[in-house]
Amino acid sequence: MISSGEGKNINAKNLSLGCRVNFSKMKKSFLIFDFLFLCILCFSSFAFGFHDYETLAIGSKAPDFNLHGIDGKNYTLESFKDEKVLVIAFICNHCPTSQAYEERLIKLTSDYADKGVKVVAINPNNPASLRYDELGWSDVGDSFDDMKVRAREKHFNFPYLYDGETEITSRKYGPVSTPHIFIFDKDRILRYNGRIDDMENPHKTPHSSDARNAIDALLNNKEVPVDVTKVFGCSIKWLEKSDWMEKAAIQWAKEPVTLDTIGISGITDLLKNNSDKLRLINVWATWCGPCTTEFSDFVTLSRIYKERDFEFISISADDPENKDKALKFLKNKQSSGTNYLFGEDDKYKLIEAIDPLWQGALPYTLLVEPGGKIVYSKQGAIDAEELRKIIFNDSYIGRLYK
């Protein structure tokens, strides 16, 4: 479920076309953008009022669609022909703002279910256009499989449709960001488009419940008081934006990769974790097959959560005379974070320093909270998807609004 890397030659088709991040398919590249750039791109629709396709105008007929839902059914406008009001909400999984409105969208659906109002959600994002660092506020990406996971875990009570593969429907409606809501009357004429309400933070009370006001007006045969509002959220990941991946791979290749020597005292300090970050530690060696096979998964996690309170540290158990070999491997994997090589001969001291419960088999992985609390340990190969869930659900990471 997560949206990893090695080498300098990147084939965009091999990147996260599922952005579930499928670790087995995502070991061809890694990208890095600074946090400011992330914010600008993610929220550019609000800050600059820029988007790529014209938003459907008030008074327009609802464009028809034929989209696959997570329940296995295909939906068209005809599927909702008996409803007095049709609400189409463009949402996604990865965006913090969209996440902030999930509970409100569920409540909106239940509140109006017996009044002839149907809420339908569409995910407009093409997963290949979603950068890894944009996944830092989510435990899943925007693929169809990810939609199933999110809907199941959050108990969505509305159809959740996928348009990310072609984006034909989304281009017709022209959402600016996720979330963006369109409300149609019984004749399927657009009567409102914009925000759900004016308060992103779900723990605070909105001043203006614009979507509800529009629905209430239509149910009472009145004019919608405000028919268009601005929206706030993450920009739509249009298919043509997928070249971000290729551009990022160039940046990754430029990042320096270093390997420093560490002893027992240094490892002891790492385990105390006096930082303010959740610390993922992996002990590996170049001669360990499972270690080298899964290493890209760790680099992927470090790229995804780079802008969060998180860090990845690798410790090579190779003999000190094989430092050049270990460094060559790390460079091939573009592991530009913190890398150490255990500089002493007695590997049993390493075992005891890392974790007295560790039996000594490689690889060995630990997740350590600030203050030194070990919240995850694994001897042998990790389950990358499971580990990502554990990282995201830790109190030091999680959603923007917990």
Side-chain angles (χ1 to χ4, degrees), residues 234-245:
C234 301
S235 62
I236 306 301
K237 309 310 175 200
W238 300 111
L239 177 60
E240 52 267 32
K241 293 181 179 180
S242 61
D243 63 347
W244 288 344
M245 294 290 190

Side-chain angles (χ1 to χ4, degrees), residues 46-336:
F46 176 79
F48 304 109
F50 173 81
H51 59 286
D52 299 306
Y53 294 95
E54 184 177 354
T55 301
L56 193 68
I58 295 297
S60 301
K61 288 283 290 186
D64 201 2
F65 52 82
N66 189 340
L67 296 175
H68 198 50
I70 59 167
D71 56 2
K73 301 177 183 178
N74 268 52
Y75 291 86
T76 67
L77 278 181
E78 185 69 11
S79 305
F80 314 108
K81 60 180 175 146
D82 296 328
E83 308 295 343
K84 297 177 183 178
V85 176
L86 178 62
V87 179
I88 297 180
F90 287 86
I91 67 171
C92 69
N93 301 326
H94 88 276
C95 176
T97 305
S98 191
Q99 294 169 9
Y101 278 95
E102 288 172 348
E103 295 295 338
R104 276 171 280 185
L105 205 56
I106 291 170
K107 190 170 190 325
L108 182 75
T109 301
S110 60
D111 287 349
Y112 288 94
D114 60 353
K115 298 180 181 180
V117 177
K118 187 66 177 181
V119 176
V120 180
I122 298 175
N123 175 10
N125 287 344
N126 184 281
S129 298
L130 183 61
R131 300 193 322 271
Y132 300 153
D133 56 344
E134 291 178 299
L135 290 167
W137 294 93
S138 180
D139 56 342
V140 294
D142 282 346
S143 74
F144 185 66
D145 286 339
D146 289 325
M147 292 167 57
K148 293 179 181 179
V149 173
R150 177 58 57 77
R152 180 177 66 250
E153 293 182 349
K154 299 301 292 186
H155 306 291
F156 284 179
N157 56 354
F158 45 80
Y160 194 14
L161 316 183
Y162 181 56
D163 189 38
E165 184 174 351
T166 66
E167 300 183 326
I168 292 174
T169 298
S170 302
R171 293 169 195 245
K172 292 178 181 177
Y173 282 78
V176 174
S177 70
T178 52
H180 191 156
I181 199 165
F182 295 77
I183 300 177
F184 298 88
D185 63 19
K186 58 182 174 51
D187 297 317
R188 297 303 176 258
I189 302 297
L190 182 63
R191 303 293 296 277
Y192 173 83
N193 98 72
R195 64 195 182 193
I196 296 174
D197 60 43
D198 64 347
M199 180 55 68
E200 180 191 32
N201 190 332
H203 305 303
K204 296 182 178 181
T205 302
H207 302 292
S208 180
S209 299
D210 303 279
R212 286 178 176 267
N213 293 341
I215 293 171
D216 290 338
L218 293 177
L219 290 176
N220 289 285
N221 297 313
K222 296 180 179 179
E223 288 295 317
V224 173
V226 177
D227 56 10
V228 177
T229 69
K230 291 182 178 180
V231 294
F232 180 85
C234 301
S235 62
I236 306 301
K237 309 310 175 200
W238 300 111
L239 177 60
E240 52 267 32
K241 293 181 179 180
S242 61
D243 63 347
W244 288 344
M245 294 290 190
E246 296 175 4
K247 294 175 182 177
I250 298 174
Q251 294 298 113
W252 287 350
K254 294 178 181 178
E255 292 183 358
V257 177
T258 60
L259 179 60
D260 298 319
T261 301
I262 193 170
I264 293 299
S265 61
I267 289 175
T268 301
D269 287 339
L270 287 181
L271 270 295
K272 288 179 180 178
N273 193 3
N274 293 320
S275 75
D276 59 353
K277 295 181 178 182
L278 185 65
R279 180 171 287 171
L280 179 64
I281 301 173
N282 174 245
V283 187
W284 66 283
T286 57
W287 46 261
C288 166
C291 299
T292 57
T293 298
E294 70 177 6
F295 197 86
S296 291
D297 295 345
F298 292 107
V299 183
T300 296
L301 287 167
S302 71
R303 300 304 183 192
I304 289 175
Y305 295 113
K306 184 175 181 63
E307 306 301 342
R308 305 297 305 276
D309 293 327
F310 175 86
E311 63 179 349
F312 168 60
I313 297 176
S314 77
I315 302 176
S316 171
D318 285 279
D319 290 335
E321 58 264 30
N322 290 327
K323 181 177 180 179
D324 288 345
K325 183 178 180 180
L327 179 57
K328 181 179 179 180
F329 173 85
L330 292 169
K331 287 182 176 179
N332 185 49
K333 295 295 182 178
Q334 297 181 343
S335 181
S336 59

